[in-house]
Amino acid sequence: MLTTIAQVGQHVGQEVRMGCWLYNKRSSGKIQFLQLRDGSGFIQGVVVKAEVAEDVWEKASQLTQESSLYITGVVRADDRAPSGFELTVTGVEIIQIAQEYPISLKEHGVDFLMDHRHLWLRSPRQRAVMAVRSEVIRAMYEFFQENGFYKVDPPILTPTSAEGTTNLFHTKYFDEDAYLSQSGQLYMEAAAMALGRVYSFGPTFRAEKSKTRRHLIEFWMIEPEMAFVDHEENLRIQEAFVSHVVQSVLKNCARELKTLERDTTKLQNVTGTFPRISYDDAIKLLQEKGSEIKWGDDFGAPDETMIAEHYDKPVFITHYPTEIKAFYMKPHPERPEVVLCADMIAPEGYGEIIGGSQRIDDPELLEKRFAEHELSEDAYRWYLDLRKYGTVPHSGFGLGLERTIAWICGLDHVRETIPFPRMLNRLYP
Ligand code: 4AD
């Protein structure tokens, strides 16, 4: 039976057989050191000429970078080895000697690496990011399943927009027009009225002509929606959720964070309550720092960074002007010029990771908003029905998976947080 590199610790002193690839090789003439990887981890295999059959030595000598093989060897605990174990090789079965591998172990430019994304994924750093991504998704599901939420899947092909009409991906739906989903939120509101607390997780499409380190054309969003939850409770759920995700990664991906050379001291702080600053105060803060921003402007990435610098945890910016936010957000009862919303800004300059709000529950106000935003009432009739048949206070939010991973992994750009990024000017591979 095959074992994996992640499991070798259970087999110290025993002979194991594993399927793997050669990552790198060093040789001293009498000993070959094979750096092997199998997806679950990396391990060094030591082939000693004097101790193995001649054909084993020969086969090991033929191995090129990324050649595939089955390896047999005895597991030894070794404190000096990064994985804590080493393999004394007893057998090599070659599956394929790889052709000259395009991604050598030297530095490559970003465009070259992006063109070879299908291979780049095999590198230790990229593997680590993907393992963190998997853990973030696992921890997200765990949080919601353990807190009484149901997973609901909204459609990807939609007849209308959820987040404004400027960045919709248009497609034909037989004779009708359709758009790729920008957000499942409106459907999740319907689901919350049926199941109470729900969450979705899926791809989201924004035809944004933005070429920044935070923008993808296709990204993944988790969208919880909760009946009988107001703005304040919405923020408490977000704090608990983000803390659970970060603490799970710290606990279960220590090895990956080390590979990524992530300084985890700030991540350790991500527990308990998060600081809050109102939009009004955030504007004042920026003005004090010399910014020319005025009340009513939206924040750009540098503004968010300047605000987040004041905190060592994620910070909520609350109560944005009604004018600059989506049509469905509930106005503040005493100050209708602002809405009951919050964006969560990650520390260390990673920007907004969550957008959320309490939703309008009054049918008349919602109809008024349709008119103001020039949205066709016909198209949104079903959404208005939710306010006619037992409307309740309700709230929800959307967390962008890739921005969250960029923050947790300490990456400069979201392109490395998704297996095959879709960006302005990139649809390959
Ligand atoms: O603030 P947004 O647009 O909110 C919504 O779509 C709401 N309907 C969510 C809800 O309340 N159910 O997007 C939410 C998050 C942002 O905070 C950001 O993390 C991420 O989605 N995001 C992007 N991530 C990568 N590339 C893009 N182009 C993104 N646009 C938004």
Side-chain angles (χ1 to χ4, degrees):
M1 209 181 69
L2 291 179
T3 186
T4 65
I5 293 174
Q7 292 169 340
V8 291
Q10 301 159 22
H11 300 281
V12 175
Q14 297 166 10
E15 189 173 70
V16 295
R17 182 168 175 260
M18 297 187 287
C20 54
W21 293 265
L22 184 87
Y23 173 63
N24 195 10
K25 188 167 75 173
R26 282 186 301 120
S27 178
S28 76
K30 291 188 181 128
I31 304 180
Q32 296 183 63
F33 299 96
L34 312 179
Q35 308 298 328
L36 303 163
R37 60 167 200 89
D38 74 345
S40 79
F42 289 77
I43 195 167
Q44 174 161 273
V46 184
V47 194
V48 182
K49 192 170 187 181
E51 291 173 12
V52 294
E54 205 171 310
D55 71 307
V56 174
W57 179 263
E58 269 315 303
K59 284 181 193 156
S61 309
Q62 289 172 34
L63 295 172
T64 53
Q65 189 187 352
E66 289 306 314
S67 290
S68 46
L69 64 147
Y70 293 107
I71 194 111
T72 309
V74 178
V75 179
R76 286 194 301 110
D78 183 344
D79 288 343
R80 288 163 309 166
S83 66
F85 303 97
E86 221 178 50
L87 202 64
T88 305
V89 175
T90 53
V92 171
E93 302 154 66
I94 292 169
I95 302 172
Q96 187 196 44
I97 296 295
Q99 298 178 25
E100 192 178 342
Y101 193 59
I103 305 185
S104 61
L105 299 175
K106 66 174 204 284
E107 294 269 308
H108 292 281
V110 167
D111 280 337
F112 177 86
L113 289 170
M114 292 304 290
D115 285 343
H116 293 84
R117 182 65 177 163
H118 50 297
L119 302 177
W120 188 26
L121 278 173
R122 303 179 184 193
S123 79
R125 280 182 62 86
Q126 299 306 312
R127 192 211 81 88
V129 177
M130 290 305 125
V132 170
R133 182 179 170 108
S134 173
E135 173 60 16
V136 168
I137 295 169
R138 191 203 62 75
M140 292 191 324
Y141 276 64
E142 179 177 73
F143 179 86
F144 289 115
Q145 295 293 144
E146 283 183 359
N147 284 286
F149 285 70
Y150 293 94
K151 170 94 177 3
V152 171
D153 305 311
I156 299 286
L157 289 167
T158 61
T160 48
S161 86
E163 290 294 320
T165 48
T166 52
N167 58 17
L168 283 168
F169 260 110
H170 175 251
T171 180
K172 286 311 284 183
Y173 190 80
F174 306 106
D175 293 336
E176 290 180 69
D177 289 310
Y179 307 96
L180 298 185
S181 175
Q182 285 174 313
S183 160
Q185 180 195 318
L186 307 190
Y187 296 98
M188 297 309 286
E189 289 184 55
M193 301 304 134
L195 292 139
R197 292 183 174 211
V198 293
Y199 69 104
S200 65
F201 178 55
T204 306
F205 306 88
R206 307 257 171 114
E208 271 167 311
K209 294 257 159 80
S210 311
K211 204 175 170 187
T212 79
R213 60 199 188 89
R214 293 176 185 176
H215 282 90
L216 291 165
I217 303 300
E218 179 180 312
F219 66 97
W220 286 65
M221 183 152 61
I222 188 137
E223 296 193 276
E225 196 67 35
M226 300 148 291
F228 310 107
V229 164
D230 66 6
H231 171 67
E232 272 303 318
E233 194 178 349
N234 192 18
L235 303 198
R236 284 197 294 273
I237 291 166
Q238 292 174 41
E239 288 165 346
F241 167 55
V242 170
S243 299
H244 176 75
V245 168
V246 170
Q247 296 306 320
S248 298
V249 174
L250 285 172
K251 181 162 159 250
N252 299 324
C253 292
R255 198 166 44 112
E256 282 78 13
L257 294 173
K258 204 167 160 208
T259 300
L260 295 166
E261 297 170 272
R262 177 68 165 113
D263 173 1
T264 54
T265 38
K266 290 215 170 122
L267 293 177
Q268 321 264 3
N269 293 337
V270 183
T271 57
T273 53
F274 297 175
R276 286 138 213 239
I277 179 170
S278 67
Y279 171 90
D280 297 355
D281 288 345
I283 289 285
K284 279 186 213 139
L285 182 80
L286 292 171
Q287 287 170 343
E288 278 160 23
K289 286 179 175 277
S291 164
E292 304 209 326
I293 198 161
K294 308 180 298 304
W295 200 95
D297 292 346
D298 207 350
F299 298 126
D303 303 319
E304 287 176 358
T305 302
M306 233 191 261
I307 297 163
E309 264 171 13
H310 285 257
Y311 309 95
D312 58 3
K313 284 187 189 186
V315 53
F316 289 111
I317 307 180
T318 67
H319 304 102
Y320 282 70
T322 311
E323 278 282 297
I324 58 170
K325 284 294 187 184
F327 74 90
Y328 51 72
M329 293 189 182
K330 187 178 171 76
H332 190 295
E334 279 115 52
R335 286 184 65 201
E337 72 278 15
V338 300
V339 278
L340 299 176
C341 75
D343 286 351
M344 187 192 288
I345 315 296
E348 302 173 75
Y350 290 98
E352 182 201 316
I353 52 171
I354 290 185
S357 65
Q358 186 167 342
R359 321 304 191 189
I360 291 177
D361 45 32
D362 170 12
E364 278 166 29
L365 178 58
L366 193 57
E367 277 184 292
K368 198 167 146 240
R369 287 285 191 268
F370 288 154
E372 287 164 6
H373 287 258
E374 295 175 13
L375 299 170
S376 134
E377 266 206 45
D378 270 356
Y380 291 89
R381 185 159 298 126
W382 68 269
Y383 184 65
L384 192 60
D385 275 356
L386 307 177
R387 278 70 178 172
K388 289 189 190 163
Y389 306 110
T391 190
V392 298
H394 65 287
S395 302
F397 64 93
L399 172 134
L401 182 71
E402 287 75 18
R403 290 193 192 171
T404 305
I405 294 168
W407 162 46
I408 295 177
C409 291
L411 303 175
D412 286 344
H413 200 297
V414 287
R415 66 183 161 227
E416 288 181 45
T417 64
I418 185 163
F420 295 97
R422 298 292 169 245
M423 299 184 294
L424 202 63
N425 309 330
R426 180 160 296 275
L427 190 58
Y428 177 91

